[in-house]
Amino acid sequence: MTDQKEPQDPNDMATPSPVTTRRGVRSFVLRQGRMTEGQKKAFERSWPKYGLTREDGMIDPRQVFGRDAMLNLEVGFGMGKSLAEMAEAAPEQDFIGVEVHQPGVGALLKEIEDRGLENVRIYSIDANDVIDLCLPDACLDRVMVFFPDPWHKKRHHKRRLVQHEFVQRVRHKLRVGGILHLATDWENYAEHMMEVMNGSEGFANTQESGGYSPRPADRPITKFEKRGENLGHGVWDLLFYRTN
């Protein structure tokens, strides 16, 4: 299905089609940036195979990946190295990554090529559109949101991605028992995430104590996380599962 699409122009940092169809407060800002030559070439070679678009409509993951396997969604994969590491470490699972910043998309495509991965697909549009328009209900086994923009100023907290409304829309895409895994290195955002999750219908904490989770072994440590740890910064993981 995806093999027939024309790649987007890698020189167009805004992408030809709108990044989002949603109105109102956005949780991201499109940063300016240019792809490296390596990222650009990887984009040109591999986007037709690994890229998914809003125009594809509601996908059938089994058709997209050619098998029935555990399906993971990462929202905001940055430069893609962590997602590539997870996909390489778990070839029996499938991964869909969402990222609006084109250099990150090019970087992940290069990682896919270098590692010879076949279990990754990419959207380069607003994650809200992916959730609302592209993914069938109860198709996901895990949703990962790692280190989203903390919008640390109080007046900007309304822009934070993790809100009750977002969590409930994610819930319907998870199978019962599926995991929503959040991580942040901002304590205030961690507290906000915990408050949101504790008040979210249909979710329960995987930790019997009701607190934060130890970092799962399959979540790679990013270079920014390592840098933060060296500076004494904390990292908070929250793992909640869908109950109904």
Side-chain angles (χ1 to χ4, degrees), residues 188-203:
N188 176 265
Y189 201 0
E191 293 168 350
H192 169 84
M193 288 175 171
M194 186 63 78
E195 180 181 351
V196 168
M197 293 308 303
N198 282 337
S200 291
E201 178 189 352
F203 278 101

Side-chain angles (χ1 to χ4, degrees), residues 17-243:
S17 58
V19 169
T20 180
T21 62
R22 294 174 65 85
R23 297 185 180 184
V25 177
R26 286 198 318 195
S27 63
F28 63 89
V29 172
L30 274 175
R31 300 184 297 273
Q32 294 300 313
R34 304 294 294 180
M35 287 186 182
T36 65
E37 280 304 309
Q39 292 166 359
K40 207 177 293 185
K41 288 176 181 175
F43 192 106
E44 292 166 351
R45 287 189 303 263
S46 293
W47 176 259
K49 180 176 180 180
Y50 297 102
L52 296 170
T53 70
R54 189 186 297 112
E55 290 69 32
D56 291 327
M58 199 71 72
I59 65 169
D60 179 348
R62 293 169 298 182
Q63 191 175 50
V64 169
F65 290 98
R67 63 178 181 176
D68 189 3
M70 178 176 172
L71 184 59
N72 303 273
L73 174 72
E74 182 174 6
V75 175
F77 58 73
M79 297 307 286
K81 187 170 183 181
S82 293
L83 179 53
E85 288 180 5
M86 288 189 290
E88 186 175 35
E92 75 284 359
Q93 300 179 25
D94 293 326
F95 294 80
I96 295 175
V98 183
E99 180 56 63
V100 295
H101 302 290
Q102 293 290 282
V105 174
L108 178 54
L109 286 167
K110 191 170 187 309
E111 291 279 355
I112 288 171
E113 290 184 348
D114 292 346
R115 297 170 187 260
L117 303 177
E118 294 293 336
N119 58 337
V120 181
R121 297 295 184 272
I122 303 171
Y123 281 102
S124 186
I125 55 175
D126 187 342
N128 289 293
D129 281 355
V130 174
I131 292 166
D132 291 342
L133 306 175
C134 303
L135 297 177
D137 286 350
C139 73
L140 299 171
D141 293 278
R142 179 171 54 168
V143 175
M144 301 170 286
V145 185
F146 298 155
F147 307 101
D149 193 324
W151 293 103
H152 56 278
K153 293 181 180 178
K154 191 169 183 179
R155 68 176 183 272
H156 291 156
H157 284 186
K158 63 185 178 182
R159 292 186 175 274
R160 288 174 167 175
L161 178 64
V162 180
Q163 308 285 358
H164 287 286
E165 186 263 350
F166 172 78
V167 167
Q168 284 304 306
R169 286 170 39 246
V170 166
R171 172 190 163 210
H172 292 297
K173 303 304 172 179
L174 281 167
R175 63 170 177 80
V176 173
I179 297 290
L180 175 56
H181 182 181
L182 310 173
T184 182
D185 56 352
W186 284 78
E187 186 172 11
N188 176 265
Y189 201 0
E191 293 168 350
H192 169 84
M193 288 175 171
M194 186 63 78
E195 180 181 351
V196 168
M197 293 308 303
N198 282 337
S200 291
E201 178 189 352
F203 278 101
N205 199 328
T206 61
Q207 299 300 299
E208 292 183 4
S209 64
Y212 299 103
S213 298
R215 180 184 66 85
D218 61 355
R219 179 176 74 73
I221 300 177
T222 69
K223 64 178 181 180
F224 300 105
E225 187 175 353
K226 288 177 184 174
R227 186 184 305 164
E229 285 181 349
N230 292 337
L231 294 171
H233 297 170
V235 173
W236 294 266
D237 285 85
L238 295 80
L239 277 78
F240 280 71
Y241 64 95
R242 181 182 175 182
T243 57

